[in-house]
């Protein structure tokens, strides 16, 4: 018996993304490449923002935190996922599974609220530019980030605490590549009603509140952009928001598809595919989305390289 809980299961077996032998090596190479790009991309952004004073602004403060979150978020499950592609049986201990679940929830919820803070930042910058330095003061930015991490901690504690109260008897095969909430609920031999209620409430809050905030912010932003008389001004305003809209759509779209629908064996297989977007694709793409067309980041790269030459 696992200490500190009523579960008879001491370890779980992760099914992984697929059990087809011919796909294991190609998927290993693909996800290893994605992980390397994710780690290097986010490390580069964190380093660039930290080393360049002209990037010490609210927008890049939030981007710094987003990159920090993505770096650890992908590291919570990707190494274990890669092991599965190279081994016949991917085993994770009960304690390890609950730990992975906590950090998976914590970093996932954190990302949702950081993206929300970034939307609010763009709203203030475009709709109230004269008040930007007052409204988005360092104290306000710090409070927004503190609130994001507190919401993430409370959500992760709620999910993990409710999972610890369940009993797992004989079934220990998780139909996923990580210890996610819904696949674990399917293995419980006791009632999961409270857990499902918590999932509905916590996930509902952490999807609906950020989504509505982002939607309203961009409603005001769009209205302000359309009122700009010059074509160049409208184009510049659109370009500053386009990268954020892409990141938000990928993250919230795939997350809502996974959690805000009834769970079943069939939907779990679909959910594994959709979860690849918000667990692997989004952390990898965020540095690319926010840097490829960003003049400030390109200037920071040049400045950093020039400093290394001297």
């Amino acid at each position: 018996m696992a200490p500190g809980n009523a579960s008879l299961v001491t370890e779980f077996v992760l099914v992984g993304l697929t059990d087809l032998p011919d796909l294991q090596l190609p998927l290993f190479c693909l996800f290893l490449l994605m992980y390397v790009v994710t780690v290097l991309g986010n490390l580069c952004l964190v380093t660039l923002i930290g080393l360049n004073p002209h990037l010490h602004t609210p927008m890049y403060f939030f981007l710094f935190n987003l990159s920090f979150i993505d770096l650890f978020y992908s590291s919570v499950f990707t190494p274990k996922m890669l092991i599965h592609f190279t081994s016949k049986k991917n085993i994770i201990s009960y304690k390890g599974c609950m730990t992975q679940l906590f950090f998976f929830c914590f970093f996932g919820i954190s990302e949702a609220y950081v993206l929300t803070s970034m939307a609010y930042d763009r709203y203030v910058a475009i709709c109230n530019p004269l008040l930007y330095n007052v409204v988005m003061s360092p104290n306000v930015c710090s409070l927004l980030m503190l609130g994001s991490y507190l919401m993430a901690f409370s959500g992760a504690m709620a999910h993990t605490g409710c999972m610890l109260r369940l009993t797992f008897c004989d079934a220990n095969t998780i139909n996923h590549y990580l210890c996610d909430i819904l696949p674990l609920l399917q293995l419980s031999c006791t009632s999961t009603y409270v857990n499902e209620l918590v999932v509905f409430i916590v996930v509902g809050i952490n999807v609906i509140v950020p989504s509505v905030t982002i939607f309203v912010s961009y409603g005001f932003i769009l209205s302000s952009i359309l009122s700009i008389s010059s074509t160049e001004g409208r184009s510049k305003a659109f370009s500053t928001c386009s990268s954020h809209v892409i990141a938000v759509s990928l993250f919230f779209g795939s997350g809502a598809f996974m959690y805000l629908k009834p769970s079943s064996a069939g939907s779990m297989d679909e959910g594994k595919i959709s979860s690849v977007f918000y667990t692997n694709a989004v952390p990898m793409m965020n540095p690319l989305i926010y840097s490829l067309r960003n003049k400030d980041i390109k200037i920071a790269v040049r400045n950093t390289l020039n400093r290394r030459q001297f």
Side-chain angles (χ1 to χ4, degrees):
M1 181 179 290
N5 61 78
S7 177
L8 300 176
V9 169
T10 58
E11 62 183 26
F12 293 100
V13 177
L14 295 167
V15 170
L17 196 59
T18 179
D19 56 359
L20 297 175
D22 294 341
L23 292 178
Q24 300 305 309
L25 183 58
L27 286 174
F28 172 81
C29 295
L30 173 64
F31 283 97
L32 177 61
L33 177 63
M34 291 175 67
Y35 184 56
V36 170
V37 172
T38 300
V39 171
L40 292 179
N42 285 291
L43 269 178
C44 285
L45 269 184
V46 167
T47 305
L48 286 173
I49 294 170
L51 292 178
N52 290 272
H54 78 278
L55 296 181
H56 295 174
T57 63
M59 183 177 77
Y60 291 104
F61 171 74
F62 294 127
L63 186 54
F64 177 92
N65 280 275
L66 183 67
S67 295
F68 176 82
I69 289 167
D70 281 339
L71 181 62
F72 286 96
Y73 183 41
S74 60
S75 299
V76 168
F77 48 81
T78 306
K80 196 70 178 170
M81 184 182 186
L82 292 172
I83 290 173
H84 174 263
F85 292 130
T86 58
S87 61
K88 293 182 179 179
K89 203 171 186 181
N90 191 14
I91 296 173
I92 185 170
S93 68
Y94 179 88
K95 289 182 179 179
C97 187
M98 295 301 116
T99 302
Q100 188 185 68
L101 174 65
F102 174 83
F103 285 107
F104 170 67
C105 294
F106 177 79
F107 289 118
I109 298 171
S110 296
E111 177 144 350
Y113 284 100
V114 172
L115 289 171
T116 306
S117 299
M118 293 173 77
Y120 178 69
D121 173 73
R122 291 300 83 203
Y123 157 73
V124 177
I126 293 173
C127 299
N128 297 288
L130 297 179
L131 297 175
Y132 182 76
N133 290 330
V134 176
V135 176
M136 299 305 295
S137 65
N139 286 339
V140 171
C141 293
S142 298
L143 286 174
L144 285 172
M145 282 311 310
L146 177 62
S148 299
Y149 290 128
L150 286 176
M151 288 296 292
F153 180 78
S154 60
M157 284 296 293
H159 287 308
T160 310
C162 287
M163 197 64 68
L164 288 169
R165 59 178 287 278
L166 296 180
T167 301
F168 300 94
C169 301
D170 297 321
N172 72 334
T173 302
I174 300 173
N175 186 20
H176 213 301
Y177 55 82
L178 56 88
C179 291
D180 202 355
I181 301 164
L182 301 182
L184 280 169
L185 293 184
Q186 292 184 338
L187 301 182
S188 174
C189 53
T190 52
S191 173
T192 60
Y193 173 77
V194 174
N195 295 70
E196 290 172 2
L197 188 62
V198 169
V199 169
F200 184 78
I201 293 171
V202 175
V203 174
I205 291 172
N206 292 321
V207 169
I208 292 170
V209 170
S211 298
V212 170
T213 304
I214 291 169
F215 181 79
V216 171
S217 296
Y218 274 99
F220 285 114
I221 289 171
L222 183 61
S223 176
S224 294
I225 290 175
L226 293 176
S227 66
I228 298 174
S229 56
S230 70
T231 305
E232 184 182 349
R234 282 199 299 269
S235 177
K236 185 177 179 181
F238 272 122
S239 66
T240 60
C241 299
S242 59
S243 56
H244 186 252
V245 171
I246 294 170
V248 166
S249 301
L250 279 173
F251 183 78
F252 283 100
S254 56
F257 180 82
M258 176 66 185
Y259 293 103
L260 298 182
K261 63 185 179 69
S263 62
S264 65
S267 66
M268 280 299 102
D269 291 331
E270 295 173 3
K272 281 195 290 185
I273 304 303
S274 86
S275 64
V276 168
F277 284 95
Y278 67 86
T279 59
N280 298 86
V282 171
M284 179 189 69
M285 292 177 66
N286 277 344
L288 303 176
I289 290 170
Y290 288 106
S291 62
L292 288 180
R293 296 172 58 193
N294 191 312
K295 292 180 181 179
D296 291 333
I297 294 294
K298 292 176 182 178
I299 292 171
V301 171
R302 284 198 297 268
N303 291 344
T304 304
L305 292 176
N306 289 336
R307 280 201 295 267
R308 287 180 61 87
Q309 291 175 0
F310 289 104

